[in-house]
Amino acid sequence: RLLPPPTYYFGLMLALGGSLLLLVFRWRTSEQPQVRLATRFLLVGIMLYPMLNVFLLSLRVQNTLDPSIVTSSFENFSRLFSDKRFLDAFTHTIWFGFLTVTGSFLVGLPLALLANLETGWRWLVRVALLLPWAMPQIITGTMFAWMFNSQYGVFNDILVRLGFERIYWLIRPDSATVALVLTVIWKTSSFVAL
């Protein structure tokens, strides 16, 4: 059995999303528990359907020469979890997520407390908080790539002036991870503070 074209799923998701918006609007203006319950079921269905569909597709092995031959098994997952590159990427992703979320929270919470102090420069702190969050990611990435440059970057300039050796931030995987984590923390800590 062949799968429907992707436009079918896109149209289905648009129809379900539009129905959800109508139901949410009715839910906010209605006191009937049936409307609220239907809205919640629809919302759960919209979230669960794509996840279940992706899981079922991940079990399939399809012959590209003859698309009618389709088999299903957990062999894909056994190969995936025995692959060293996948396990390295998975652990790296978990560490990256943990470090950036924790760092953003540890930086954003004091910034939020600072922004709520009753001072004359409170507006300036709030504007400074919005700047990293509102800056486009391409500008943030380019700015930090320049700052972490091993030849003329700001961070290496500070390290050399303090008597340390230059760090090749964006060449080695470990130092590139540190540079990326610091960049993401700077970008997202203001969002946490808001």
Side-chain angles (χ1 to χ4, degrees):
R1 186 184 84 156
L2 294 176
L3 293 173
T7 53
Y8 169 79
Y9 292 116
F10 182 69
L12 181 68
M13 293 308 288
L14 277 179
L16 288 175
S19 303
L20 176 69
L21 286 175
L22 288 174
L23 282 175
V24 166
F25 178 72
R26 285 194 64 198
W27 170 62
R28 289 180 181 252
T29 60
S30 174
E31 294 296 324
Q32 297 176 352
Q34 295 88 358
V35 175
R36 290 184 183 184
L37 188 62
T39 305
R40 290 182 181 143
F41 275 128
L42 185 62
L43 185 60
V44 168
I46 286 176
M47 290 187 312
L48 287 182
Y49 173 74
M51 292 190 303
L52 182 63
N53 192 26
V54 166
F55 176 72
L56 292 175
L57 286 175
S58 70
L59 295 176
R60 299 169 66 120
V61 178
Q62 191 166 4
N63 187 348
T64 55
L65 297 176
D66 187 8
S68 64
I69 301 174
V70 177
T71 58
S72 293
S73 70
F74 283 97
E75 183 182 331
N76 292 339
F77 288 105
S78 65
R79 278 188 303 172
L80 184 67
F81 288 113
S82 63
D83 186 10
K84 184 184 181 318
R85 290 183 302 171
F86 170 76
L87 293 176
D88 288 345
F90 184 73
T91 55
H92 182 68
T93 302
I94 295 297
W95 271 110
F96 182 79
F98 174 75
L99 291 174
T100 55
V101 169
T102 306
S104 296
F105 180 75
L106 291 176
V107 172
L109 184 63
L111 288 176
L113 295 174
L114 182 66
N116 283 330
L117 289 177
E118 295 291 334
T119 61
W121 43 272
R122 182 179 182 179
W123 65 272
L124 184 63
V125 173
R126 289 186 176 180
V127 168
L129 273 179
L130 283 175
L131 184 65
W133 176 70
M135 190 176 293
Q137 291 180 357
I138 187 69
I139 294 174
T140 302
T142 305
M143 180 177 70
F144 273 91
W146 288 342
M147 292 170 69
F148 283 113
N149 190 293
S150 58
Q151 298 298 319
Y152 54 85
V154 173
F155 294 120
N156 271 335
D157 185 47
I158 293 170
L159 288 174
V160 167
R161 289 175 192 250
L162 293 174
F164 296 103
E165 290 184 21
R166 291 183 184 273
I167 297 176
Y168 296 97
W169 292 101
L170 303 177
I171 295 173
R172 297 186 187 125
D174 294 337
S175 58
T177 302
V178 170
L180 246 151
V181 165
L182 291 174
T183 304
V184 170
I185 288 173
W186 180 83
K187 175 83 173 145
T188 58
S189 61
S190 60
F191 181 74
V192 172
L194 292 176

